Amino acid sequence: MAKVKTKWVCQSCGYESFSYLGRCPDCGNFATFCEESVQDTPQLKSNSAPSLVLNSELRAQKINDVKNDEKIRLKTNMQELDRVLGGGFVAGSLVLLAGDPGIGKSTLILQTCKNLCSKDLNKNPVCALYICAEESPEQVKLRALRLGVNSDCLYVTNQNCLEEVIKQIDEIKPEFLVVDSIQAVFSSQITSSSGSVSQIRECTNILMHIAKQKNITTVIIGHVTKEGNIAGPKVLEHMVDCVINFEGDRYKSYRILRSIKNRFGTTSEVGVFNMEDDGLSEVLNPSELFLNPSESANCGCSVIATLEGTRVLLLEIQSLTGSTPYPNPRRVARGIEYNRLLQILAVLEKRVGLNLSKQDVYINVIGGIDIIEPAADLGVALAVLSCARDIPLREKTVIIGELGLSGEIRAVDNLEKRLKEAQKLGFECAIVPCVNKNISQKINKLDIKVIQVSKLTDAIIQAFKQN
């Protein structure tokens, strides 16, 4: 009988130790070590396991000689999902879909299978295999009936042993494979329990080779920790071709699909969905969802135009200021970086004379969107000033610009594209940075009043001027 030994493995990064450690020396997390058994004698590989050694006949070739199939992408007929993926699923790619529990990951991927396997939407329906490792086929059928899934090209199994899954892949030969979820799948050749770092790493590695060798588009659904990070080793995100997060509040209807990593498209791309009784519906114009439906302007509110990937989003920024009896006033920022808010407040105090040393400041971006680019600086500054002075900004005005430390308004990218989106949504005026003559001639041809400013004081005068 083989002698069994144990080792301690960090569930966050995969660091191995021969004894228990309270704090991982690699990633620095506490209480993340779990005991796993290790056998001295090597195990024989199962006949069902795929060969991970590439064919010796495949030699290096010139990049110009590599053939590229024109039908390399699978269109899902969901514009928001195709946008995030960069035009659809790439054949043979491995995609990781992560999100909070109950956010709608299984619903999204089952609707994707519905579109790919539909004869009405595709001339050549795709054969799909759905591995529901956490549910029974009957439970998946209940969700399928609610979503209107009815196709003979979609196969469902609740098998969670990887070797048995490989057998069914060889039998069915699907073009699209879904594993829900990777934490529930295990390999019999690994002694640790399912969901451990070793199981997740090895199972994903085998699925990656199957996807590449057999040209099967594979989607694996991953869990997240209570901190919001993808559960499992960090190498999991490096192994896959695309990482997309499904975000949103379970108590609200809208959901945001965000691309974090994409080898075949742009990153930071965003798609918006609305959760309804019969599944997820696409929100093709999310700016209307995030903006205030009332026509009148409110104190402490401004509208900015930000870029999420290649999409322009018009978002409403709300500010609230109030006196505090405590010596250290609060600074709360939701949707923008905290240090960025402190910098904007310092510029307002130094260049405008707005004293906020005894007032709390709260900033909120409607819709739960996180703004990373600095083009929202001017909108945040004017929203804070509007609330502090209790004066609303001019109506139907969008504000665009980066704020420098000396109070200057710096230029931003894709200004013409932002203005076109604002014009389409009915905005009549835009406060923008000063630009060169060529760009100025283009934006002046738009059916929107463009006010170019170079200083924060000039922007304040124009923003509070009534139409």
Side-chain angles (χ1 to χ4, degrees):
M1 181 176 180
K3 184 178 180 181
V4 178
K5 296 182 179 180
T6 60
K7 64 179 179 180
W8 295 84
V9 182
C10 176
Q11 300 302 302
S12 296
C13 64
Y15 181 85
E16 298 181 1
S17 174
F18 292 105
S19 61
Y20 176 80
L21 299 177
R23 182 175 185 268
C24 178
D26 193 8
C27 64
N29 293 331
F30 290 88
T32 57
F33 278 86
C34 292
E35 189 176 14
E36 297 181 4
S37 59
V38 181
Q39 293 186 359
D40 288 342
T41 58
Q43 292 182 335
L44 296 176
K45 291 187 177 181
S46 175
N47 294 330
S48 60
S51 176
L52 302 184
V53 181
L54 296 178
N55 192 345
S56 59
E57 297 180 356
L58 296 178
R59 298 181 179 179
Q61 54 183 327
K62 297 180 180 179
I63 187 67
N64 293 332
D65 297 337
V66 178
K67 296 181 180 179
N68 186 13
D69 189 2
E70 295 180 356
K71 300 179 180 179
I72 195 171
R73 288 190 182 270
L74 295 177
K75 296 288 185 178
T76 65
N77 292 307
M78 301 174 68
Q79 296 183 24
E80 297 298 295
L81 179 57
D82 288 339
R83 174 195 295 273
V84 174
L85 294 172
F89 287 103
V90 175
S93 63
L94 183 63
V95 179
L96 173 62
L97 173 63
D100 294 331
I103 206 68
K105 302 184 297 296
S106 300
T107 300
L108 174 65
I109 205 64
L110 194 57
Q111 286 186 234
T112 303
C113 294
K114 170 188 174 182
N115 293 347
L116 292 175
C117 300
S118 175
K119 296 181 180 179
D120 298 332
L121 299 177
N122 298 313
K123 295 181 180 179
N124 298 319
V126 173
C127 179
L129 175 60
Y130 193 104
I131 309 298
C132 48
E134 298 177 343
E135 298 177 285
S136 65
E138 291 77 15
Q139 293 173 325
V140 177
K141 178 64 176 180
L142 290 176
R143 189 187 305 115
L145 292 175
R146 178 172 60 88
L147 300 177
V149 180
N150 184 15
S151 176
D152 294 333
C153 299
L154 177 59
Y155 296 83
V156 180
T157 178
N158 63 337
Q159 184 62 251
N160 55 2
C161 178
L162 184 60
E163 284 71 27
E164 296 297 326
V165 169
I166 295 173
K167 291 180 180 179
Q168 297 196 27
I169 292 175
D170 294 336
E171 178 182 352
I172 299 175
K173 296 180 173 56
E175 301 173 69
F176 189 75
L177 175 66
V178 178
V179 180
D180 186 8
S181 67
I182 189 61
Q183 279 80 10
V185 177
F186 70 93
S187 174
S188 59
Q189 298 186 14
I190 303 174
T191 55
S192 59
S193 60
S194 60
S196 63
V197 171
S198 301
Q199 287 283 3
I200 295 175
R201 181 178 60 243
E202 295 304 323
C203 290
T204 304
N205 185 39
I206 294 175
L207 289 173
M208 178 189 67
H209 283 84
I210 292 176
K212 304 302 180 184
Q213 294 177 1
K214 299 186 177 182
N215 201 32
I216 301 175
T217 303
T218 305
V219 178
I220 58 176
I221 297 178
H223 296 170
V224 296
T225 61
K226 60 181 180 180
E227 292 83 9
N229 300 322
I230 300 176
K234 194 65 177 179
V235 70
L236 176 64
E237 300 179 41
H238 292 280
M239 293 168 63
V240 300
D241 298 313
C242 181
V243 180
I244 51 180
N245 270 0
F246 208 31
E247 307 169 356
D249 191 345
R250 67 174 63 184
Y251 302 107
K252 295 183 180 180
S253 60
Y254 59 84
R255 303 288 188 268
I256 299 174
L257 191 66
R258 188 186 302 272
S259 172
I260 299 177
K261 171 189 175 182
N262 194 351
R263 290 174 178 168
F264 314 109
T266 60
T267 57
S268 301
E269 199 68 67
V270 167
V272 183
F273 295 86
N274 190 28
M275 179 64 77
E276 299 177 353
D277 295 338
D278 55 350
L280 292 165
S281 63
E282 302 178 76
V283 180
L284 301 180
N285 192 356
S287 297
E288 295 180 349
L289 179 66
F290 300 140
L291 293 178
N292 186 3
S294 62
E295 295 292 336
S296 59
N298 299 324
C299 296
C301 297
S302 64
V303 177
I304 58 100
T306 182
L307 276 175
E308 289 288 346
T310 59
R311 162 179 278 178
V312 178
L313 292 180
L314 267 64
L315 302 175
E316 181 182 351
I317 295 179
Q318 293 183 340
S319 173
L320 178 64
T321 61
S323 59
T324 176
Y326 301 104
N328 296 324
R330 296 189 65 186
R331 303 289 187 257
V332 179
R334 293 188 59 185
I336 67 171
E337 188 182 0
Y338 177 76
N339 292 329
R340 197 80 186 177
L341 173 60
L342 298 181
Q343 177 179 312
I344 294 172
L345 297 181
V347 174
L348 284 173
E349 183 174 359
K350 182 68 175 179
R351 305 303 175 187
V352 183
L354 181 63
N355 188 6
L356 299 171
S357 59
K358 296 183 179 180
Q359 289 188 330
D360 294 333
V361 179
Y362 301 87
I363 296 293
N364 180 40
V365 179
I366 299 299
I369 299 289
D370 293 328
I371 302 176
I372 302 176
E373 65 163 354
D377 291 354
L378 184 58
V380 174
L382 294 179
V384 172
L385 186 61
S386 172
C387 185
R389 294 291 182 259
D390 200 21
I391 304 175
L393 301 175
R394 64 193 302 171
E395 297 180 357
K396 297 183 179 180
T397 301
V398 62
I399 301 168
I400 307 170
E402 178 183 355
L403 184 60
L405 294 180
S406 61
E408 80 278 9
I409 309 301
R410 307 186 69 87
V412 298
D413 297 331
N414 298 306
L415 180 59
E416 184 181 2
K417 189 175 183 180
R418 300 172 197 255
L419 293 176
K420 287 182 179 179
E421 181 68 18
Q423 175 186 332
K424 184 174 67 174
L425 293 177
F427 284 85
E428 300 174 354
C429 180
I431 299 177
V432 303
C434 291
V435 294
N436 57 47
K437 183 180 295 185
N438 295 332
I439 300 179
S440 180
Q441 292 176 354
K442 293 181 181 179
I443 62 178
N444 287 332
K445 295 180 181 179
L446 300 175
D447 190 16
I448 184 174
K449 183 180 179 181
V450 180
I451 302 175
Q452 300 184 29
V453 294
S454 58
K455 293 289 185 180
L456 176 60
T457 53
D458 299 335
I460 293 174
I461 294 174
Q462 297 294 335
F464 290 99
K465 182 184 296 185
Q466 299 301 322
N467 295 332

